[in-house]
Short mmCIF file of all heavy atoms in Angstrom, two decimals:
data_model
loop_
_atom_site.label_atom_id
_atom_site.label_comp_id
_atom_site.label_asym_id
_atom_site.label_seq_id
_atom_site.Cartn_x
_atom_site.Cartn_y
_atom_site.Cartn_z
N GLY T 19 -17.22 -35.04 47.09
CA GLY T 19 -16.93 -33.68 46.65
C GLY T 19 -18.13 -32.77 46.74
O GLY T 19 -18.03 -31.60 47.12
N GLY T 20 -19.30 -33.30 46.39
CA GLY T 20 -20.53 -32.51 46.50
C GLY T 20 -20.84 -32.15 47.94
O GLY T 20 -21.25 -31.02 48.23
N GLY T 21 -20.60 -33.08 48.85
CA GLY T 21 -20.80 -32.80 50.27
C GLY T 21 -19.82 -31.76 50.79
O GLY T 21 -20.20 -30.85 51.54
N VAL T 22 -18.57 -31.86 50.38
CA VAL T 22 -17.57 -30.87 50.79
C VAL T 22 -17.94 -29.50 50.23
O VAL T 22 -17.90 -28.50 50.94
CB VAL T 22 -16.16 -31.29 50.32
CG1 VAL T 22 -15.16 -30.17 50.51
CG2 VAL T 22 -15.71 -32.55 51.04
N TYR T 23 -18.33 -29.45 48.97
CA TYR T 23 -18.74 -28.18 48.36
C TYR T 23 -19.92 -27.58 49.12
O TYR T 23 -19.93 -26.38 49.42
CB TYR T 23 -19.10 -28.38 46.89
CG TYR T 23 -19.58 -27.11 46.23
CD1 TYR T 23 -18.66 -26.18 45.76
CD2 TYR T 23 -20.93 -26.83 46.10
CE1 TYR T 23 -19.08 -25.00 45.17
CE2 TYR T 23 -21.36 -25.65 45.53
CZ TYR T 23 -20.43 -24.74 45.06
OH TYR T 23 -20.86 -23.57 44.49
N ARG T 24 -20.89 -28.41 49.43
CA ARG T 24 -22.08 -27.94 50.15
C ARG T 24 -21.70 -27.36 51.51
O ARG T 24 -22.16 -26.29 51.90
CB ARG T 24 -23.07 -29.10 50.30
CG ARG T 24 -24.48 -28.66 50.51
CD ARG T 24 -25.47 -29.83 50.52
NE ARG T 24 -25.66 -30.36 49.17
CZ ARG T 24 -25.46 -31.62 48.83
NH1 ARG T 24 -25.07 -32.50 49.71
NH2 ARG T 24 -25.67 -32.02 47.60
N ILE T 25 -20.84 -28.04 52.23
CA ILE T 25 -20.41 -27.56 53.56
C ILE T 25 -19.65 -26.24 53.43
O ILE T 25 -19.90 -25.30 54.17
CB ILE T 25 -19.55 -28.61 54.27
CG1 ILE T 25 -20.42 -29.78 54.72
CG2 ILE T 25 -18.82 -28.00 55.47
CD1 ILE T 25 -19.65 -30.98 55.20
N LEU T 26 -18.72 -26.17 52.48
CA LEU T 26 -17.91 -24.96 52.33
C LEU T 26 -18.72 -23.76 51.88
O LEU T 26 -18.35 -22.62 52.16
CB LEU T 26 -16.76 -25.20 51.36
CG LEU T 26 -15.67 -26.16 51.83
CD1 LEU T 26 -14.62 -26.35 50.74
CD2 LEU T 26 -15.03 -25.66 53.12
N THR T 27 -19.83 -23.98 51.17
CA THR T 27 -20.65 -22.86 50.72
C THR T 27 -21.79 -22.53 51.67
O THR T 27 -22.03 -21.38 51.98
CB THR T 27 -21.21 -23.11 49.31
OG1 THR T 27 -21.94 -24.34 49.29
CG2 THR T 27 -20.09 -23.16 48.28
N GLU T 28 -22.49 -23.55 52.16
CA GLU T 28 -23.64 -23.30 53.03
C GLU T 28 -23.24 -22.89 54.44
O GLU T 28 -23.99 -22.20 55.12
CB GLU T 28 -24.55 -24.53 53.08
CG GLU T 28 -25.24 -24.83 51.77
CD GLU T 28 -26.04 -26.11 51.79
OE1 GLU T 28 -26.12 -26.77 52.86
OE2 GLU T 28 -26.60 -26.47 50.74
N ARG T 29 -22.08 -23.32 54.88
CA ARG T 29 -21.61 -22.99 56.22
C ARG T 29 -20.32 -22.16 56.16
O ARG T 29 -19.41 -22.34 56.97
CB ARG T 29 -21.36 -24.27 57.02
CG ARG T 29 -22.62 -25.10 57.16
CD ARG T 29 -22.35 -26.36 57.89
NE ARG T 29 -23.54 -27.19 57.93
CZ ARG T 29 -23.58 -28.39 58.41
NH1 ARG T 29 -22.49 -28.93 58.92
NH2 ARG T 29 -24.69 -29.08 58.42
N ALA T 30 -20.25 -21.28 55.19
CA ALA T 30 -19.04 -20.50 54.93
C ALA T 30 -18.59 -19.71 56.16
O ALA T 30 -17.40 -19.64 56.45
CB ALA T 30 -19.26 -19.57 53.74
N GLU T 31 -19.53 -19.11 56.88
CA GLU T 31 -19.15 -18.30 58.05
C GLU T 31 -18.56 -19.17 59.15
O GLU T 31 -17.56 -18.79 59.77
CB GLU T 31 -20.36 -17.52 58.56
CG GLU T 31 -20.79 -16.42 57.63
CD GLU T 31 -21.99 -15.67 58.15
OE1 GLU T 31 -22.30 -15.76 59.36
OE2 GLU T 31 -22.63 -14.98 57.33
N THR T 32 -19.14 -20.32 59.39
CA THR T 32 -18.64 -21.22 60.42
C THR T 32 -17.25 -21.75 60.04
O THR T 32 -16.34 -21.79 60.87
CB THR T 32 -19.61 -22.41 60.62
OG1 THR T 32 -20.89 -21.89 60.96
CG2 THR T 32 -19.13 -23.34 61.70
N VAL T 33 -17.10 -22.15 58.79
CA VAL T 33 -15.81 -22.67 58.32
C VAL T 33 -14.75 -21.57 58.40
O VAL T 33 -13.63 -21.81 58.87
CB VAL T 33 -15.92 -23.22 56.87
CG1 VAL T 33 -14.57 -23.57 56.31
CG2 VAL T 33 -16.85 -24.42 56.84
N ALA T 34 -15.10 -20.35 57.99
CA ALA T 34 -14.15 -19.24 58.04
C ALA T 34 -13.73 -18.94 59.47
O ALA T 34 -12.55 -18.68 59.74
CB ALA T 34 -14.77 -18.00 57.40
N ALA T 35 -14.66 -19.03 60.41
CA ALA T 35 -14.32 -18.77 61.81
C ALA T 35 -13.38 -19.85 62.35
O ALA T 35 -12.42 -19.54 63.07
CB ALA T 35 -15.59 -18.72 62.65
N ARG T 36 -13.62 -21.09 61.97
CA ARG T 36 -12.75 -22.18 62.44
C ARG T 36 -11.38 -22.16 61.79
O ARG T 36 -10.38 -22.51 62.40
CB ARG T 36 -13.41 -23.53 62.19
CG ARG T 36 -14.57 -23.79 63.10
CD ARG T 36 -15.12 -25.17 62.91
NE ARG T 36 -16.23 -25.40 63.81
CZ ARG T 36 -16.91 -26.51 63.86
NH1 ARG T 36 -16.61 -27.51 63.05
NH2 ARG T 36 -17.91 -26.63 64.70
N MET T 37 -11.32 -21.74 60.53
CA MET T 37 -10.05 -21.69 59.81
C MET T 37 -9.31 -20.38 60.08
O MET T 37 -8.17 -20.22 59.68
CB MET T 37 -10.29 -21.82 58.30
CG MET T 37 -10.92 -23.12 57.86
SD MET T 37 -9.83 -24.52 58.04
CE MET T 37 -8.58 -24.12 56.87
N ASP T 38 -9.99 -19.45 60.69
CA ASP T 38 -9.45 -18.13 60.99
C ASP T 38 -9.14 -17.35 59.72
O ASP T 38 -8.27 -16.49 59.69
CB ASP T 38 -8.21 -18.23 61.87
CG ASP T 38 -7.91 -16.92 62.60
OD1 ASP T 38 -8.86 -16.16 62.85
OD2 ASP T 38 -6.74 -16.66 62.88
N ARG T 39 -9.86 -17.67 58.66
CA ARG T 39 -9.75 -16.95 57.39
C ARG T 39 -10.86 -17.43 56.47
O ARG T 39 -11.36 -18.54 56.62
CB ARG T 39 -8.39 -17.18 56.73
CG ARG T 39 -8.16 -18.60 56.26
CD ARG T 39 -6.77 -18.84 55.71
NE ARG T 39 -5.79 -18.54 56.73
CZ ARG T 39 -4.77 -17.69 56.55
NH1 ARG T 39 -4.58 -17.12 55.40
NH2 ARG T 39 -3.92 -17.44 57.52
N PRO T 40 -11.27 -16.61 55.52
CA PRO T 40 -12.31 -17.06 54.58
C PRO T 40 -11.79 -18.15 53.65
O PRO T 40 -10.60 -18.21 53.36
CB PRO T 40 -12.66 -15.79 53.79
CG PRO T 40 -11.53 -14.86 54.01
CD PRO T 40 -10.85 -15.25 55.29
N VAL T 41 -12.68 -19.01 53.21
CA VAL T 41 -12.33 -20.10 52.28
C VAL T 41 -12.97 -19.78 50.93
O VAL T 41 -14.16 -19.47 50.86
CB VAL T 41 -12.83 -21.46 52.81
CG1 VAL T 41 -12.56 -22.55 51.80
CG2 VAL T 41 -12.18 -21.78 54.14
N HIS T 42 -12.17 -19.84 49.89
CA HIS T 42 -12.63 -19.53 48.53
C HIS T 42 -12.40 -20.74 47.65
O HIS T 42 -11.25 -21.20 47.50
CB HIS T 42 -11.85 -18.32 47.99
CG HIS T 42 -12.07 -18.07 46.54
ND1 HIS T 42 -13.24 -17.52 46.05
CD2 HIS T 42 -11.28 -18.29 45.47
CE1 HIS T 42 -13.13 -17.42 44.73
NE2 HIS T 42 -11.96 -17.89 44.37
N ILE T 43 -13.47 -21.28 47.07
CA ILE T 43 -13.33 -22.40 46.13
C ILE T 43 -12.93 -21.80 44.79
O ILE T 43 -13.71 -21.08 44.16
CB ILE T 43 -14.62 -23.22 46.02
CG1 ILE T 43 -14.97 -23.80 47.39
CG2 ILE T 43 -14.46 -24.32 44.97
CD1 ILE T 43 -16.30 -24.51 47.44
N ALA T 44 -11.72 -22.09 44.36
CA ALA T 44 -11.17 -21.48 43.16
C ALA T 44 -11.54 -22.25 41.89
O ALA T 44 -11.85 -21.65 40.86
CB ALA T 44 -9.65 -21.38 43.27
N ARG T 45 -11.52 -23.58 41.96
CA ARG T 45 -11.78 -24.40 40.77
C ARG T 45 -12.10 -25.82 41.21
O ARG T 45 -11.64 -26.28 42.24
CB ARG T 45 -10.53 -24.42 39.89
CG ARG T 45 -10.68 -24.98 38.53
CD ARG T 45 -11.40 -24.11 37.58
NE ARG T 45 -10.58 -22.94 37.28
CZ ARG T 45 -10.97 -21.97 36.49
NH1 ARG T 45 -12.13 -22.03 35.92
NH2 ARG T 45 -10.21 -20.93 36.26
N ILE T 46 -12.92 -26.51 40.38
CA ILE T 46 -13.27 -27.91 40.66
C ILE T 46 -13.00 -28.72 39.39
O ILE T 46 -13.55 -28.43 38.33
CB ILE T 46 -14.76 -28.05 41.06
CG1 ILE T 46 -15.07 -27.16 42.26
CG2 ILE T 46 -15.08 -29.51 41.35
CD1 ILE T 46 -16.55 -27.06 42.58
N LEU T 47 -12.13 -29.71 39.53
CA LEU T 47 -11.79 -30.58 38.41
C LEU T 47 -12.81 -31.72 38.31
O LEU T 47 -13.04 -32.44 39.29
CB LEU T 47 -10.38 -31.16 38.60
CG LEU T 47 -9.87 -32.07 37.50
CD1 LEU T 47 -9.67 -31.30 36.20
CD2 LEU T 47 -8.57 -32.73 37.94
N VAL T 48 -13.43 -31.86 37.14
CA VAL T 48 -14.40 -32.94 36.88
C VAL T 48 -14.12 -33.52 35.50
O VAL T 48 -13.43 -32.90 34.68
CB VAL T 48 -15.86 -32.41 36.95
CG1 VAL T 48 -16.21 -31.97 38.35
CG2 VAL T 48 -16.09 -31.28 35.97
N ARG T 49 -14.64 -34.70 35.23
CA ARG T 49 -14.44 -35.30 33.91
C ARG T 49 -15.26 -34.60 32.84
O ARG T 49 -14.80 -34.39 31.73
CB ARG T 49 -14.83 -36.78 33.94
CG ARG T 49 -13.85 -37.64 34.64
CD ARG T 49 -14.23 -39.08 34.52
NE ARG T 49 -13.41 -39.86 35.40
CZ ARG T 49 -13.54 -41.14 35.58
NH1 ARG T 49 -14.47 -41.80 34.93
NH2 ARG T 49 -12.75 -41.79 36.40
N ASP T 50 -16.53 -34.27 33.19
CA ASP T 50 -17.44 -33.66 32.22
C ASP T 50 -18.14 -32.47 32.86
O ASP T 50 -19.10 -32.65 33.61
CB ASP T 50 -18.46 -34.71 31.76
CG ASP T 50 -19.44 -34.17 30.74
OD1 ASP T 50 -19.29 -33.02 30.28
OD2 ASP T 50 -20.38 -34.91 30.38
N PRO T 51 -17.70 -31.25 32.57
CA PRO T 51 -18.32 -30.08 33.17
C PRO T 51 -19.80 -29.90 32.81
O PRO T 51 -20.55 -29.27 33.55
CB PRO T 51 -17.50 -28.90 32.61
CG PRO T 51 -16.19 -29.50 32.25
CD PRO T 51 -16.50 -30.90 31.80
N ALA T 52 -20.25 -30.48 31.70
CA ALA T 52 -21.65 -30.33 31.27
C ALA T 52 -22.59 -31.33 31.94
O ALA T 52 -23.81 -31.20 31.83
CB ALA T 52 -21.73 -30.49 29.75
N LYS T 53 -22.06 -32.30 32.65
CA LYS T 53 -22.88 -33.33 33.29
C LYS T 53 -23.77 -32.72 34.38
O LYS T 53 -23.32 -31.88 35.15
CB LYS T 53 -21.95 -34.38 33.92
CG LYS T 53 -22.64 -35.47 34.67
CD LYS T 53 -21.62 -36.40 35.29
CE LYS T 53 -22.27 -37.39 36.23
NZ LYS T 53 -21.28 -38.26 36.86
N PRO T 54 -25.04 -33.16 34.45
CA PRO T 54 -25.91 -32.69 35.54
C PRO T 54 -25.37 -33.18 36.89
O PRO T 54 -24.85 -34.28 37.00
CB PRO T 54 -27.26 -33.35 35.25
CG PRO T 54 -27.18 -33.83 33.84
CD PRO T 54 -25.74 -34.02 33.52
N ARG T 55 -25.49 -32.34 37.91
CA ARG T 55 -24.93 -32.65 39.22
C ARG T 55 -25.98 -32.50 40.31
O ARG T 55 -26.96 -31.78 40.14
CB ARG T 55 -23.77 -31.73 39.52
CG ARG T 55 -22.80 -31.71 38.35
CD ARG T 55 -21.40 -31.58 38.77
NE ARG T 55 -20.54 -31.67 37.59
CZ ARG T 55 -19.93 -32.75 37.20
NH1 ARG T 55 -20.03 -33.85 37.88
NH2 ARG T 55 -19.18 -32.74 36.12
N ALA T 56 -25.74 -33.15 41.43
CA ALA T 56 -26.66 -33.07 42.57
C ALA T 56 -26.59 -31.71 43.26
O ALA T 56 -27.53 -31.31 43.93
CB ALA T 56 -26.36 -34.19 43.57
N VAL T 57 -25.48 -31.01 43.12
CA VAL T 57 -25.32 -29.67 43.70
C VAL T 57 -25.21 -28.66 42.57
O VAL T 57 -24.71 -28.96 41.49
CB VAL T 57 -24.08 -29.57 44.61
CG1 VAL T 57 -24.24 -30.41 45.85
CG2 VAL T 57 -22.82 -29.93 43.88
N THR T 58 -25.71 -27.47 42.81
CA THR T 58 -25.63 -26.41 41.82
C THR T 58 -24.33 -25.64 42.04
O THR T 58 -24.09 -25.11 43.12
CB THR T 58 -26.83 -25.46 41.96
OG1 THR T 58 -28.03 -26.21 41.84
CG2 THR T 58 -26.80 -24.38 40.89
N VAL T 59 -23.52 -25.61 41.00
CA VAL T 59 -22.20 -24.98 41.06
C VAL T 59 -22.12 -23.99 39.90
O VAL T 59 -22.51 -24.32 38.78
CB VAL T 59 -21.08 -26.05 40.92
CG1 VAL T 59 -19.72 -25.42 40.89
CG2 VAL T 59 -21.20 -27.07 42.02
N PRO T 60 -21.59 -22.79 40.14
CA PRO T 60 -21.38 -21.88 39.02
C PRO T 60 -20.50 -22.53 37.95
O PRO T 60 -19.47 -23.13 38.28
CB PRO T 60 -20.67 -20.68 39.65
CG PRO T 60 -21.03 -20.74 41.10
CD PRO T 60 -21.19 -22.20 41.41
N SER T 61 -20.92 -22.44 36.71
CA SER T 61 -20.21 -23.15 35.63
C SER T 61 -18.76 -22.71 35.50
O SER T 61 -17.92 -23.48 35.05
CB SER T 61 -20.94 -22.96 34.30
OG SER T 61 -20.99 -21.59 33.96
N GLY T 62 -18.42 -21.51 35.89
CA GLY T 62 -17.05 -21.03 35.80
C GLY T 62 -16.09 -21.74 36.74
O GLY T 62 -14.88 -21.67 36.55
N LEU T 63 -16.61 -22.45 37.74
CA LEU T 63 -15.75 -23.18 38.68
C LEU T 63 -15.33 -24.53 38.13
O LEU T 63 -14.31 -25.07 38.54
CB LEU T 63 -16.47 -23.40 40.01
CG LEU T 63 -16.66 -22.20 40.91
CD1 LEU T 63 -17.37 -22.63 42.19
CD2 LEU T 63 -15.34 -21.55 41.25
N LEU T 64 -16.12 -25.10 37.23
CA LEU T 64 -15.85 -26.45 36.74
C LEU T 64 -14.87 -26.45 35.58
O LEU T 64 -14.95 -25.61 34.69
CB LEU T 64 -17.16 -27.11 36.29
CG LEU T 64 -18.24 -27.27 37.36
CD1 LEU T 64 -19.49 -27.88 36.74
CD2 LEU T 64 -17.74 -28.09 38.51
N THR T 65 -13.96 -27.41 35.59
CA THR T 65 -13.01 -27.57 34.50
C THR T 65 -12.66 -29.06 34.35
O THR T 65 -12.72 -29.81 35.29
CB THR T 65 -11.72 -26.76 34.73
OG1 THR T 65 -10.88 -26.92 33.58
CG2 THR T 65 -10.96 -27.22 35.96
N ALA T 66 -12.35 -29.44 33.11
CA ALA T 66 -11.85 -30.79 32.85
C ALA T 66 -10.35 -30.77 32.62
O ALA T 66 -9.74 -31.80 32.41
CB ALA T 66 -12.56 -31.37 31.61
N ASP T 67 -9.76 -29.58 32.68
CA ASP T 67 -8.33 -29.40 32.46
C ASP T 67 -7.58 -29.32 33.79
O ASP T 67 -7.73 -28.35 34.53
CB ASP T 67 -8.11 -28.12 31.66
CG ASP T 67 -6.65 -27.84 31.35
OD1 ASP T 67 -5.78 -28.68 31.69
OD2 ASP T 67 -6.38 -26.78 30.76
N PRO T 68 -6.78 -30.33 34.11
CA PRO T 68 -6.08 -30.31 35.41
C PRO T 68 -5.13 -29.13 35.57
O PRO T 68 -4.89 -28.67 36.68
CB PRO T 68 -5.31 -31.63 35.43
CG PRO T 68 -5.44 -32.24 34.11
CD PRO T 68 -6.50 -31.54 33.35
#
Side-chain angles (χ1 to χ4, degrees):
V22 170
Y23 178 82
R24 203 174 287 124
I25 289 169
L26 292 177
T27 56
E28 293 175 3
R29 300 178 185 175
E31 290 180 18
T32 303
V33 172
R36 288 186 180 179
M37 298 291 295
D38 200 28
R39 67 185 59 234
V41 176
H42 170 74
I43 299 174
R45 191 74 68 182
I46 304 170
L47 181 66
V48 294
R49 286 185 190 176
D50 181 6
K53 177 182 171 182
R55 311 215 176 262
V57 293
T58 304
V59 177
S61 61
L63 288 181
L64 300 177
T65 183
D67 181 4

